[in-house]
Amino acid sequence: MYGNLKDYLTDEIAKLHEQKLYKGERIIESPQGSEITVKGKKVLNFCANNYLGLSSNPDLIKAAHNEIDYRGYGLSSVRFICGTQDRHKELEHKVAEFLGMEDSILFCSCFDANAAVFEPLLGADDAIVTDSLNHASIIDGVRLCKAQRWIYNHADMRDVEETDTTTGKKGKGLERCLKEAKEAGCRFIMIATDGVFSMDGDIAKLPEICDLAEKYGALVMVDESHSSGFMGKTGRGTHEYHNVMGRVDIITTTFGKALGGASGGCISGPKEVIDWMRNKARPYLFSNTLAPSVVGATIKCIELLSSSTALRDKLEENTKKFRSEMTAAGFDIVPGVHPITPIMFGKYDNCSELAVKFADRMLEEGIYVTPFSFPVVPRGKDRIRVQISAGHSTEQIDRAVAAFIKVGKELKMIK
Ligand SMILES: *Cc1c(COP(=O)(O)O)cnc(C)c1O
């Protein structure tokens, strides 16, 4: 009896279109890279999570091919039945070493890792203290867990109660939440945060978070999806960038962004935590193991990044160039150091439409960028989010900046 549901969905989908919230997909007819083919036309890609330009790297492709030849296509099993190869263990050790942690456990995605990480460790007597702008997968992971929760205003470390400037909701600072969790007599308290927040590219205040964690006896969990491989001077992540390696207890991260871009993720942390996860984490126990091709290529990727900082250095150089040239051109950019560079439209009339129109014009100019509007970002914070890659050549960045300036003048945003 699909009939009623069909009518309902047809209406709801029509509403999404009306509200301009429907998410269409642009079809790419080439491998991922700094230059891609969209509708038969070559364009420069400035919106991928391909931070280190490794998505179609020849060495990683070769490693994936080799792995298929030597370890097969798939394992048709979860890890604990007959889905663990020597290479899974090798990858787990290599990732842990790269991140500076004791051990790791693999998942098919970081979404799964975040869905897995809280529930086995924390129960109704415990507390999770979580940033209001944390990634959807952390929010879902927290929901799956019985722990009491405190949501702190984004990046607000203080012992205060006030309105969150980013969400517009009344809330509290981190220290206030920790105090309350302590007063409620919680057994374990875990602070959960993104290392880098994906909409503004801002970095979690880890030194202050770690200080507060020590003051209140809390654990620190950081999702490093937008930083593993390139943040910090050897690319280990925001804990290296902020010089708090050894003070973060648990890291989750993805292999689907800088670390090759295919798929997969992990939890890294103390060996007891990882051991417990292998026995209790539901997305690990009840979901198929990571495919050999991904395992082989990710091992190759970690080896590459452990032996040279050339790619993260290039990314840093490209990011500085793009950010400074766009700022000089008069665009309103959220300041920072991360390759996520938000070009803000809030100060112009009809900013949502303007951002959409801008992105369409950019595509005509051969530059693929994406506009973000409510509800993905708060109202009035419409933006085009550019993501810089080590795979971009200097000439490609010049072309992107030139196109931004051309379209910006045309739409009367800059002089
Ligand atoms: C992308 C992202 C994820 C999801 O990673 P997948 O491996 O694609 O599931 C989780 N957390 C954060 C912060 C992310 O940016």
Side-chain angles (χ1 to χ4, degrees):
M1 251 312 282
Y2 177 46
N4 292 345
L5 179 59
K6 181 184 166 77
D7 294 344
Y8 172 77
L9 291 178
T10 306
D11 284 353
E12 290 299 309
I13 292 168
K15 274 187 214 159
L16 285 182
H17 282 290
E18 272 163 37
Q19 295 162 0
K20 307 252 178 272
L21 295 177
Y22 185 86
K23 286 180 182 55
E25 292 172 359
R26 285 209 168 96
I27 311 293
I28 297 173
E29 301 135 1
S30 64
Q32 185 61 281
S34 57
E35 189 173 72
I36 54 173
T37 308
V38 178
K39 282 198 187 150
K41 188 181 157 192
K42 285 206 165 124
V43 297
L44 300 183
N45 190 355
F46 275 84
C47 55
N49 294 316
N50 186 17
Y51 293 115
L52 295 174
L54 292 172
S55 306
S56 303
N57 176 278
D59 291 337
L60 265 57
I61 292 173
K62 197 163 144 228
H65 277 297
N66 283 344
E67 204 72 16
I68 289 186
D69 289 342
Y70 294 110
R71 290 287 184 276
Y73 171 64
L75 284 158
S76 307
S77 171
V78 299
R79 286 287 297 273
F80 84 94
I81 299 178
C82 54
T84 300
Q85 288 172 321
D86 49 353
R87 298 284 277 169
H88 290 95
K89 298 309 288 181
E90 192 178 337
L91 176 56
E92 286 174 340
H93 293 141
K94 283 221 153 80
V95 174
E97 195 186 349
F98 185 78
L99 297 174
M101 308 300 272
E102 267 181 20
D103 199 0
S104 312
I105 172 172
L106 303 178
F107 291 85
C108 287
S109 68
C110 187
F111 202 108
D112 275 354
N114 285 335
V117 70
F118 302 105
E119 190 257 351
L121 298 175
L122 306 169
D125 297 336
D126 305 314
I128 301 175
V129 185
T130 171
D131 188 288
S132 64
L133 288 193
N134 275 343
H135 190 262
S137 54
I138 296 184
I139 295 172
D140 285 8
V142 171
R143 282 183 185 148
L144 291 169
C145 170
K146 292 201 171 62
Q148 300 166 55
R149 69 193 67 148
W150 275 264
I151 300 170
Y152 63 94
N153 290 345
H154 175 55
D156 188 344
M157 301 289 111
R158 298 168 304 157
D159 178 8
V160 297
E161 179 160 5
E162 63 184 40
T163 303
D164 189 337
T165 50
T166 48
T167 62
K169 286 184 199 151
K170 203 168 162 57
K172 293 162 185 168
L174 173 59
E175 184 159 14
R176 176 65 59 91
C177 295
L178 289 168
K179 259 187 187 164
E180 290 184 6
K182 204 80 201 161
E183 280 161 14
C186 291
R187 178 184 56 161
F188 305 130
I189 304 174
M190 187 184 290
I191 304 170
T193 182
D194 281 16
V196 171
F197 294 87
S198 62
M199 282 303 140
D200 282 345
D202 59 319
I203 303 166
K205 298 171 180 169
L206 293 184
E208 286 156 275
I209 291 174
C210 290
D211 285 349
L212 285 171
E214 272 152 38
K215 185 169 169 190
Y216 291 92
L219 294 143
V220 178
M221 174 271 179
V222 184
D223 178 342
E224 290 280 273
S225 291
H226 281 288
S227 43
S228 291
F230 60 95
M231 291 301 290
K233 64 181 190 306
T234 65
R236 308 307 157 118
T238 55
H239 58 330
E240 183 185 34
Y241 175 84
H242 270 314
N243 209 9
V244 293
M245 283 180 92
R247 298 179 71 198
V248 169
D249 300 291
I250 296 173
I251 286 176
T252 61
T253 195
T254 181
F255 309 145
K257 290 182 173 125
L259 302 180
S263 62
C266 68
I267 302 172
S268 277
K271 62 180 193 311
E272 301 77 15
V273 169
I274 302 307
D275 204 15
W276 187 242
M277 290 293 161
R278 287 190 206 288
N279 286 276
K280 296 287 177 185
R282 292 166 67 84
Y284 185 80
L285 291 171
F286 299 103
S287 184
N288 202 40
T289 189
L290 206 57
S293 55
V294 174
V295 174
T298 310
I299 289 174
K300 185 76 196 171
C301 175
I302 306 266
E303 286 171 355
L304 197 83
L305 301 182
S306 302
S307 68
S308 162
T309 61
L311 287 176
R312 59 85 49 213
D313 295 345
K314 177 79 168 98
L315 175 59
E316 189 171 71
E317 191 186 306
N318 282 351
T319 301
K320 276 186 188 152
K321 175 179 163 66
F322 182 77
R323 280 179 169 273
S324 70
E325 290 178 9
M326 288 291 286
T327 307
F331 286 102
D332 182 13
I333 289 175
V334 179
V337 298
H338 196 271
I340 291 174
T341 311
I343 323 290
M344 305 304 285
F345 282 68
K347 69 179 187 187
Y348 309 102
D349 292 339
N350 297 326
C351 57
S352 305
E353 280 156 50
L354 188 65
V356 172
K357 192 165 167 194
F358 200 107
D360 287 346
R361 277 291 294 121
M362 288 294 283
L363 194 62
E364 287 167 15
E365 296 293 322
I367 312 288
Y368 187 172
V369 289
T370 318
F372 288 87
S373 298
F374 183 81
V376 181
V377 294
R379 283 189 205 281
K381 298 266 185 189
D382 302 76
R383 70 197 60 196
I384 284 177
R385 185 184 70 174
V386 169
Q387 286 170 287
I388 301 297
S389 168
H392 290 133
S393 66
T394 306
E395 185 268 329
Q396 288 174 331
I397 297 197
D398 288 340
R399 270 169 61 194
V401 173
F404 266 105
I405 292 175
K406 181 178 172 187
V407 177
K409 283 181 177 166
E410 193 182 295
L411 298 179
K412 306 208 164 12
M413 285 172 60
I414 55 168
K415 294 214 179 71

